[in-house]
């Protein structure tokens, strides 16, 4: 509906979500890379069962910037981000390619870091 009814640049259309919204992105972004120019989950974590080469290889074709607070009460999200970085680094090395994955950690709780989010959105809407 958004693509059909609103006058937007569908080539510059991102998907962002916090907490449960971020979790949805971590579970489905690899299927949606042809629908969005960037993904921006915050305070979430990709389940290690989903952080496979098969799924992460889609990061070679898209921008995936994850924001994660280091003081998050859900410690598992930090661990999952670290695992996702590790598996992606191994995949990048295997294919000798850089991906669009970046995980930016901030010294904060489960809430999003407003300046970081604002900066990311401004960047992605002008450079993606």
């Amino acid at each position: 509906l958004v693509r059909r009814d609103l006058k937007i640049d569908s080539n510059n259309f991102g998907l962002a979500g916090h907490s449960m919204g971020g979790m949805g992105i971590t579970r489905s972004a690899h299927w949606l890379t042809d629908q969005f120019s960037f993904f921006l989950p915050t305070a979430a974590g990709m389940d290690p069962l989903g952080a496979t080469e098969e799924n992460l290889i889609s990061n070679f074709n898209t921008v995936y910037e994850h924001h994660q607070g280091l003081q998050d009460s859900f410690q598992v999200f930090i661990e999952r981000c670290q695992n996702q970085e590790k598996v992606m680094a191994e995949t990048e090395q295997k294919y000798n390619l850089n991906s669009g994955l970046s995980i930016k950690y901030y010294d904060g709780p489960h809430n999003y870091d407003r300046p970081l989010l604002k900066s990311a959105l401004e960047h992605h809407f002008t450079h993606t």
Side-chain angles (χ1 to χ4, degrees):
L1 293 173
V2 170
R3 292 182 198 287
R4 187 188 74 205
D5 296 339
L6 299 177
K7 295 189 185 302
I8 62 161
D9 178 1
S10 62
N11 292 318
N12 198 6
F13 199 53
L15 184 61
H18 173 262
S19 196
M20 184 56 80
M23 291 298 294
I25 292 170
T26 69
R27 292 178 180 142
S28 57
H30 58 279
W31 288 314
L32 302 171
T33 56
D34 61 338
Q35 299 294 312
F36 298 96
S37 56
F38 68 90
F39 298 92
L40 186 57
T42 301
M46 180 178 281
D47 187 314
L49 295 176
T52 62
E53 178 183 330
E54 180 182 13
N55 290 342
L56 293 178
I57 202 164
S58 67
N59 288 299
F60 290 126
N61 300 317
T62 194
V63 173
Y64 185 108
E65 180 178 329
H66 188 114
H67 296 173
Q68 183 58 54
L70 291 172
Q71 307 305 320
D72 197 321
S73 55
F74 297 99
Q75 179 67 30
V76 68
F77 290 164
I78 300 165
E79 294 164 3
R80 286 179 172 191
C81 287
Q82 293 166 340
N83 179 69
Q84 185 178 359
E85 283 179 307
K86 178 183 174 284
V87 175
M88 192 70 244
E90 292 166 355
T91 305
E92 287 175 334
Q93 186 173 20
K94 177 180 179 179
Y95 292 98
N96 196 30
L97 292 170
N98 293 322
S99 74
L101 173 71
S102 67
I103 299 181
K104 297 185 178 176
Y105 296 96
Y106 55 92
D107 187 27
H110 188 69
N111 297 345
Y112 62 88
D113 180 287
R114 185 174 173 82
L116 180 61
L117 179 61
K118 182 178 184 224
S119 173
L121 290 171
E122 288 171 349
H123 173 79
H124 293 308
F125 281 122
T126 58
H127 293 98
T128 303

